[in-house]
Amino acid sequence: MSRIIILISILFTSQNLMAQSNDVKKINELYERGYYYFYYDVYDTAVEYFEQVLSLDSDHYNSNFYLGISLGVGLEKYEEGLYYINKSFLLDSTNNLSHIYWLRGNFYFDMGKYDISIKELTMSINLDPTEKNVYYNRGMAYNRIGEFEKAISDFTKAIELGNLSPDDYYERGFAWYMLGKYQEAISDFNNCEKLGGDYPEINYFMGEMTYEYLYFQNAIEYFKTYLQEGNNEIRRLHSIFKIGVSYYYLGEYNNAFIQFNELQKYEPDYLGTFIYKGMTYMATGDYQNARQNLEKAIEIDSHNRLALLQLGNLEYLTNNPDKGYGYFNKAKLYAEKEKDEMILYGLAESYTILGDTLSALASINNVIVINPNNYKAFEARISIASVLGSKEEVLADFEHLKGIFNDNEKIHAYYHARKAVALIEFGEYEEAIVQLTKAIEIDPFSEYYALMSYIRFYYEFVKTQGNISILVQEEILQNLGMAIKTNQRKKDAYLLKTTLLIAFERETEACEAANEAIKLGATIDKEHLKFICKGKEPKGKNNEWVVNYNLSSFEERFNEGGF
């Protein structure tokens, strides 16, 4: 009896092992097919096979793991994907753990749960700090929640670890852009495109940055390219608007009207269009249409500071000064309340044009209180303080400007040169020469040599009462020769040389310099050229030659790549 029981038992065990063997074989076949389709990104078919495996063995680790990836990455079913990824983690909490945190971080990112995504990706990095792609993913999450400095740190780490993809440079460029670090953003966007990145948004961002730098022609080109390639509707409409505004600032008013009219087909009540359309009408002398558009803007937003400012300007143009001041006061009230730098700066410009220097100074001081790093405000205050004769304030503001750009020696040199110009206005020629010498030591830029010739001339002219020796004349012209060696403003340098040589009564050399200036595009009318070269008095012409040389503005130097 017992033998029969034993035989039956042996037979049953043997049949059970055969069944298990068949099941394992089937599971392996199904898993291999699932993985094959997973490998070739045929995720829906892969899911079918992995689910069949799990119907036979619900604890099959790899099938849970790859089913989770297929559902999340392939089919965007993130909740279901997370379920199977988490189940694989419960089945074996030591296997591939950093990768599981990475996957969970990516799923939460795609679900828009960026804070959770960052926590998961940080866990992955803690387990494996050498995985470059995890830094990239966490950087993207930081970008989405506006933590741009942390995003830059992660993208930089990914690049240092060898992740030289266009995506890293694009995302880091975006973070720089959002922080207002435009030079860094431009560099990263250029690297992105060099690596084959195809991001239409780059043209939009480049348009915005060149617009901010007042490089309007370039901004127009970038925005037009975005309109051809980009599909973000809000950015497309904004591009049309910025093209119109750029044309306005370039003085191409007909083109500006074309853009504003085009925008109004899609957004008939867009506030900015009424404001800039009104400003364009005002620039063309059509005050009636200007008023209609600006008043429409005020109907839309009675507190709009730019519309109030422009209405104030319009009232002055139409001889209603009291009403104009009323609009200015409203604009100032709202601008101070909202800490609006742009409007306060615009008010300062309007007050300056009207000769109200103290009101202009008050507005600029408000701008500086709001933003102590607004270099344009300090430059404006320097101009106002110069008019008021406030030398100490002028010199202090130049030092503050150097502090704003504390890591750029070339900008420091520029402000040494600007300080030299200011010191001339106060009659301090020797200190002006000291400042300009510092500028040349830091940055031997051609403009500074030309300016040195100009300052030395006036210094020596005053000191010697016009009797400048030949030796000093040669020293002055030597500085000008250094300026002429380069191509920057070479025409202006030759014009300055012409006037200096006339002052030195060296007519032959003056004639040669004048002809060189003409070759480079300078305009000297024939009557004056005869006077320079042949000593003939010009008929009805003013032959009082004034020695002058104006330093380029900050924006001009920047756009020329001078910094």
Side-chain angles (χ1 to χ4, degrees):
M1 182 77 174
S2 60
R3 288 186 61 190
I4 295 171
I5 293 171
I6 291 169
L7 281 171
I8 291 171
S9 176
I10 291 171
L11 181 62
F12 177 80
T13 303
S14 173
Q15 288 174 339
N16 189 40
L17 288 171
M18 287 177 65
Q20 286 182 356
S21 176
N22 288 333
D23 283 346
V24 169
K25 186 177 179 182
K26 186 175 182 181
I27 286 169
N28 289 338
E29 287 176 357
L30 290 168
Y31 170 73
E32 286 173 7
R33 288 182 186 178
Y35 187 79
Y36 171 85
Y37 286 109
F38 169 85
Y39 185 82
Y40 286 103
D41 299 339
V42 187
Y43 295 112
D44 51 351
T45 306
V47 165
E48 292 176 9
Y49 281 107
F50 291 138
E51 286 178 339
Q52 289 184 55
V53 172
L54 295 180
S55 68
L56 298 171
D57 179 4
S58 62
D59 292 338
H60 192 274
Y61 176 86
N62 282 349
S63 292
N64 278 288
F65 183 72
Y66 287 113
L67 176 57
I69 298 175
S70 299
L71 288 165
V73 175
L75 304 181
E76 299 182 2
K77 296 180 178 180
Y78 304 114
E79 295 282 2
E80 292 180 55
L82 277 170
Y83 171 80
Y84 289 104
I85 291 292
N86 290 336
K87 188 176 177 183
S88 66
F89 171 73
L90 293 172
L91 289 169
D92 186 349
S93 62
T94 62
N95 188 19
N96 221 7
L97 190 54
S98 67
H99 199 69
I100 285 175
Y101 281 120
W102 179 21
L103 285 168
R104 292 202 316 202
N106 285 336
F107 285 5
Y108 282 119
F109 176 90
D110 289 328
M111 293 163 69
K113 298 180 179 180
Y114 303 120
D115 289 332
I116 301 174
S117 172
I118 289 167
K119 289 178 183 177
E120 295 288 331
L121 294 168
T122 300
M123 291 292 291
S124 178
I125 288 170
N126 290 341
L127 290 167
D128 182 5
T130 65
E131 178 49 64
K132 57 197 176 189
N133 291 311
V134 187
Y135 288 101
Y136 168 75
N137 293 129
R138 191 174 69 174
M140 287 183 66
Y142 279 131
N143 259 354
R144 298 304 182 272
I145 64 171
E147 295 276 0
F148 300 116
E149 290 179 350
K150 291 180 180 178
I152 288 166
S153 177
D154 274 354
F155 294 129
T156 301
K157 184 67 176 178
I159 290 167
E160 287 172 356
L161 289 170
N163 207 29
L164 302 178
S165 77
D167 302 330
D168 291 87
Y169 284 105
Y170 173 77
E171 290 288 343
R172 191 172 71 175
F174 173 77
W176 286 124
Y177 167 79
M178 293 302 293
L179 289 173
K181 302 280 189 177
Y182 291 161
Q183 286 299 298
E184 292 86 347
I186 290 168
S187 175
D188 274 350
F189 288 148
N190 286 338
N191 283 327
C192 171
E193 291 184 331
K194 284 177 186 176
L195 291 167
D198 183 18
Y199 286 94
E201 305 306 306
I202 287 177
N203 287 302
Y204 177 79
F205 298 136
M206 291 294 288
E208 289 282 20
M209 289 187 286
T210 49
Y211 177 90
E212 286 295 318
Y213 285 136
L214 312 181
Y215 215 177
F216 297 117
Q217 195 60 56
N218 284 54
I220 288 167
E221 296 306 317
Y222 281 120
F223 284 129
K224 282 185 175 179
T225 302
Y226 182 73
L227 288 173
Q228 293 171 359
E229 301 174 359
N231 55 18
N232 182 301
E233 193 58 30
I234 293 174
R235 286 177 177 164
R236 287 177 60 83
L237 294 174
H238 194 66
S239 295
I240 297 170
F241 175 67
K242 282 295 181 72
I243 292 169
V245 175
S246 297
Y247 277 131
Y248 164 79
Y249 284 119
L250 289 171
E252 298 184 30
Y253 302 125
N254 287 336
N255 285 330
F257 281 128
I258 290 169
Q259 298 300 318
F260 296 142
N261 291 336
E262 179 70 15
L263 182 58
Q264 286 183 317
K265 292 178 185 176
Y266 305 100
E267 290 286 341
D269 293 323
Y270 181 58
L271 176 65
T273 308
F274 287 109
I275 295 172
Y276 275 94
K277 205 171 180 181
M279 290 165 64
T280 309
Y281 277 123
M282 191 158 53
T284 59
D286 186 347
Y287 298 143
Q288 183 178 350
N289 275 316
R291 187 180 301 281
Q292 286 177 1
N293 278 273
L294 291 170
E295 288 179 348
K296 178 65 177 176
I298 294 298
E299 283 180 26
I300 296 170
D301 179 5
S302 62
H303 291 187
N304 187 275
R305 301 172 290 278
L306 180 56
L308 289 166
L309 170 63
Q310 294 304 327
L311 273 169
N313 289 333
L314 179 61
E315 294 301 345
Y316 270 96
L317 288 171
T318 53
N319 300 314
N320 295 306
D322 292 339
K323 201 170 180 181
Y325 255 101
Y327 282 122
F328 285 158
N329 289 334
K330 283 185 180 179
K332 185 180 178 184
L333 176 68
Y334 298 134
E336 288 173 350
K337 185 178 179 181
E338 299 298 326
K339 297 184 178 180
D340 189 329
E341 296 175 52
M342 185 189 80
I343 296 303
L344 289 167
Y345 189 87
L347 279 166
E349 289 181 326
S350 294
Y351 287 135
T352 301
I353 292 168
L354 296 169
D356 188 348
T357 307
L358 293 178
S359 292
L361 184 59
S363 286
I364 284 297
N365 285 338
N366 280 329
V367 174
I368 290 169
V369 168
I370 294 166
N371 182 4
N373 291 322
N374 187 321
Y375 76 90
K376 289 184 179 180
F378 277 97
E379 291 200 340
R381 191 163 75 174
I382 285 168
S383 298
I384 296 168
S386 296
V387 172
L388 296 173
S390 306
K391 185 182 77 172
E392 297 305 320
E393 286 81 356
V394 167
L395 299 181
D397 279 350
F398 273 123
E399 288 305 308
H400 191 94
L401 281 166
K402 286 167 60 181
I404 292 173
F405 301 100
N406 60 11
D407 58 347
N408 192 316
E409 287 296 314
K410 287 192 173 183
I411 293 180
H412 286 193
Y414 173 76
Y415 282 123
H416 278 298
R418 284 283 307 280
K419 190 187 284 189
V421 174
L423 286 162
I424 295 168
E425 294 176 10
F426 294 113
E428 297 195 14
Y429 295 102
E430 289 186 11
E431 182 57 29
I433 290 169
V434 169
Q435 292 297 323
L436 200 49
T437 301
K438 288 180 180 178
I440 290 170
E441 287 172 355
I442 297 169
D443 180 15
F445 187 61
S446 64
E447 271 201 299
Y448 304 153
Y449 284 111
L451 190 60
M452 181 67 89
S453 298
Y454 165 67
I455 294 173
R456 276 292 307 277
F457 168 78
Y458 270 109
Y459 173 63
E460 298 294 341
F461 189 87
V462 171
K463 191 169 73 170
T464 65
Q465 295 183 337
N467 297 313
I468 302 174
S469 69
I470 294 294
L471 181 63
V472 174
Q473 288 180 24
E474 288 303 320
E475 288 177 4
I476 291 170
L477 293 170
Q478 186 178 7
N479 275 313
L480 202 48
M482 294 293 291
I484 289 169
K485 280 184 179 180
T486 63
N487 286 323
Q488 291 103 339
R489 297 187 63 188
K490 199 169 184 176
K491 173 187 71 177
D492 295 334
Y494 270 114
L495 283 172
L496 175 58
K497 186 175 183 180
T498 302
T499 55
L500 287 173
L501 288 165
I502 290 170
F504 297 151
E505 298 181 355
R506 294 163 64 165
E507 290 83 4
T508 303
E509 293 170 81
C511 180
E512 292 172 359
N515 282 306
E516 288 298 324
I518 290 168
K519 286 179 187 176
L520 293 166
T523 302
I524 302 175
D525 64 64
K526 290 181 180 179
E527 291 292 324
H528 277 127
L529 194 59
K530 284 179 184 178
F531 168 69
I532 296 167
C533 295
K534 299 180 181 178
K536 293 183 179 179
E537 289 290 326
K539 296 175 183 178
K541 299 280 184 180
N542 179 9
N543 63 351
E544 292 181 8
W545 288 77
V546 179
V547 178
N548 193 22
Y549 190 83
N550 293 316
L551 196 64
S552 295
S553 70
F554 186 94
E555 284 75 18
E556 287 169 336
R557 279 294 308 280
F558 182 89
N559 290 334
E560 291 167 1
F563 299 137

